[in-house]
Amino acid sequence: MMKRTVAIACLLTASLSTGFAQTWKPVVDKILSPWAEQVTPQNAHREYPRPQLVRQNNWQNLNGLWKYKVSPKDQKTAPTSWDGDILVPFAIESALSGVGKRVSKDDAIWYHNQITIDKKVNKGKVLLHFGAVDWQCDVYLNGQHVGSHEGGFDAFSFDISKAIKKSGKQDLTIRVWDPTSEGPQPRGKQIINPHGIWYTPVSGIWQTVWLESVPQTYIVSTKQTPDIDQKSLAIQAAIEGAQASDEILIEAFDGGQKVAEVKGSPADLHQLKLNDLKLWSPSRPHLYDLQIKVLRKGKVVDEAKSYFAMRKISKKKDAQGIERMYLNDEFIFHYGPLDQGWWPDGLHTAPSDEALKFDIVKTKEMGFNMIRKHIKVEPARWYRHCDSLGILVWQDMPSGDLGGNFWDMQPGKISSAKHDKDRSPESEAIYRKEWKSIMAQLHNYPSIVIWVPFNEAWGQFKTKEIVDWTIQNDPSRLVNGASGGNFNAPGHILDIHNYPDAAMPSPELFGDKYILALGEFGGLGLPVENHTWQQKDNWGYQSFKNADELKKRYSGLVDHLTRLIPLGLSAAVYTQTTDVEIETNGLMTYDRKVIKIPVTELNGIHQKLYSKELVK
């Protein structure tokens, strides 16, 4: 079986934001998605990257060709020579970076870019933003160290105003160190030696890099929490440089018409009262617009746009006394794929925003109403697409510091043995810091209805403490404390994993305490010739020879789910959206060029899961 490759040899120049003009082409020793074939240094992720806090007219995208060098980890000074060009924001190991090179824990990656700051940006304070860099990052501008960050999945920024030269090009240098699976940090499915369910490492910059101009007093962030029972949106703004007499004005709009407003002190928690609520759901994903302004003596000092939705996720007993999940006080069975968010050409980074949206669109067309985002955090625009399209999201915390756990996963049973991992104080601190940051940054996205702090006992530690803290930190959502893991403190949900058949925790033992969920099942494999990561030795949890056999088996699994729902099952997650590397158990191939069961047929198969007759 021969791999299908696409030869791309056109010469391309760097984007206007980049000071280097060199050639670039992707590494084409593996399959590519259709969007990868359209990527150039000029068009690499040009969209505005922060949809929940938009200042559209005073930002500058820095994606494009940068210089890079891999040096010994111990080297702390910037290189004087470079190995070549790398296309940001694609990780160095990816095909679309143009490099396709592995690095180790003994290496550091250096990036260099000579940038000319646009006039519209070079005023007030200038912030340098990173969507995500894996893992440890130091940033230098014109030789000055402007900041450090640790964390592979959360966004961060630095005020670089004092380091900017008055004229000419600015020298931006970034040093990154990433130990991948040889460190304790959250890393998800990455591993130094990819095999089985473990994939190629992702190191360095893998989301958009951009500049933003803000005034001395500016809106840093907002925290927006809907309450449909009170018909209100609680909103708290973080304002940098606010003065005692400043005010904040918050206005809500529905289709361009103002429907509510509130004015008060920037430091206060504000309640935006709404009438005639339009609730958000998968069948009707209604979004309201927000305008936030900081006022000083009646004049606007800073303003930004945002959006929100009115929806409620809750846990309560049905008529049989079984705990269920309710959306807007109605039972809805959550059914969706395990979504890893990996790409054959960009690894963690989709080749384009169109590609990023494609998986969500197809998931919805297939008749799913939910996605479990599996031990990865996506760029902010992915969540915006889920909000707009109407997909419920279960958000995992990326796993890390694996090994040393005892794992007792038996359907319907909870072991009384102690299974928590003993993690070092450093490892615990890294986890807590990044999980807190992830939850804060994703709080405003209404599509996210469940937090999942642990998966399959991978690095699971101090479970009760972490789960309790997660619940306290965000009481507006449900918490699935240990998806398929050790159930010594599962939060609101008891979640087992079972391959390939559908199963559920015992409703007699746990149905009156927890929402019962099947957090992973299925994994039906079908390798499609010319669309696999490697020529042979691909696998699924159960493999098939053709699409008809696959569809018949899959349809049987869904039939089994319909028999479990009346008994107490409230959610199920099918493995998985796409093939990933040597796993061929996706509903789509890794390159997204083949959908193994037609979309319309999948949609028809799934409709029986949402019948109101299943739960009275």
Side-chain angles (χ1 to χ4, degrees), residues 55 66 168 171 203 208 235 243 254 263 274 393 422 439 475 494-497 507 519:
R55 297 184 186 89
W66 295 43
D171 283 302
S203 302
T208 292
I235 180 166
Q243 296 183 8
D254 184 8
K263 183 191 288 187
L274 296 147
V393 175
D422 292 324
M439 291 180 69
L494 188 59
D495 169 345
I496 64 167
H497 294 178

Side-chain angles (χ1 to χ4, degrees), residues 165-348:
K165 294 189 297 188
K166 292 183 179 180
S167 62
K169 294 185 181 299
Q170 314 289 329
D171 283 302
L172 180 57
T173 304
I174 298 166
R175 179 189 180 276
V176 179
W177 175 68
D178 179 22
T180 308
S181 53
E182 297 182 281
Q185 80 289 347
R187 45 131 176 141
K189 285 291 193 80
Q190 307 172 59
I191 197 168
I192 289 294
N193 177 30
H195 63 278
I197 64 170
W198 307 101
Y199 316 138
T200 302
V202 175
S203 302
I205 298 170
W206 68 274
Q207 288 188 33
T208 292
V209 185
W210 55 294
L211 295 173
E212 181 183 29
S213 173
V214 295
Q216 295 299 314
T217 300
Y218 69 98
I219 304 160
V220 178
S221 63
T222 64
K223 183 177 181 180
Q224 299 152 200
T225 307
D227 185 336
I228 69 170
D229 297 327
Q230 298 299 318
K231 295 185 177 181
S232 69
L233 179 79
I235 180 166
Q236 178 83 57
I239 310 294
E240 176 73 20
Q243 296 183 8
S245 60
D246 287 350
E247 292 181 300
I248 187 169
L249 173 64
I250 304 167
E251 300 168 294
F253 298 87
D254 184 8
Q257 181 179 357
K258 186 188 292 188
V259 292
E261 73 170 63
V262 64
K263 183 191 288 187
S265 168
D268 290 345
L269 175 66
H270 299 281
Q271 299 290 339
L272 202 61
K273 294 292 185 178
L274 296 147
N275 296 314
D276 302 320
L277 290 186
K278 296 178 182 178
L279 300 180
W280 183 97
S281 70
S283 60
R284 190 188 181 200
H286 186 82
L287 300 176
Y288 293 87
D289 294 315
L290 268 180
Q291 183 83 34
I292 306 110
K293 298 177 181 178
V294 179
L295 306 176
R296 182 169 296 154
K297 296 180 180 179
K299 294 184 177 180
V300 177
V301 175
D302 186 35
E303 61 182 312
K305 294 180 180 179
S306 187
Y307 70 93
F308 68 98
M310 298 303 293
R311 66 99 183 92
K312 172 185 177 182
I313 188 75
S314 59
K315 166 182 176 280
K316 64 179 180 179
K317 288 181 170 61
D318 65 13
Q320 283 70 45
I322 295 174
E323 289 288 356
R324 299 282 189 178
M325 265 187 299
Y326 288 79
L327 181 70
N328 304 330
D329 294 319
E330 292 185 3
F331 173 72
I332 178 172
F333 185 73
H334 288 214
Y335 186 53
L338 192 76
D339 193 305
Q340 316 249 21
W342 282 75
W343 297 83
D345 29 51
L347 301 179
H348 268 179

Side-chain angles (χ1 to χ4, degrees), residues 365-418:
E365 289 177 353
M366 289 173 183
F368 295 106
N369 62 12
M370 175 263 278
I371 290 172
R372 181 181 170 201
K373 179 49 62 178
H374 190 42
I375 56 175
K376 183 199 176 190
V377 176
E378 292 288 359
R381 291 186 61 84
W382 186 87
Y383 300 94
R384 168 70 207 214
H385 293 319
C386 290
D387 293 344
S388 300
L389 292 167
I391 284 283
L392 302 165
V393 175
W394 293 22
Q395 178 61 55
D396 289 11
M397 170 62 176
S399 302
D401 201 359
L402 279 61
N405 288 70
F406 294 99
W407 184 22
D408 184 15
M409 189 188 72
Q410 300 180 58
K413 297 182 180 179
I414 298 180
S415 172
S416 60
K418 180 183 183 297

Side-chain angles (χ1 to χ4, degrees), residues 8-26:
I8 300 176
C10 55
L11 298 180
L12 299 164
T13 58
S15 65
L16 295 176
S17 65
T18 306
F20 304 113
Q22 301 292 333
T23 61
W24 167 89
K25 63 179 181 180

Side-chain angles (χ1 to χ4, degrees), residues 547-563:
D548 288 338
E549 290 181 0
L550 175 68
K551 183 177 72 172
K552 182 178 180 180
R553 181 73 167 102
Y554 180 80
S555 183
L557 292 179
V558 175
D559 287 341
H560 192 182
L561 286 178
T562 63
R563 295 192 293 273

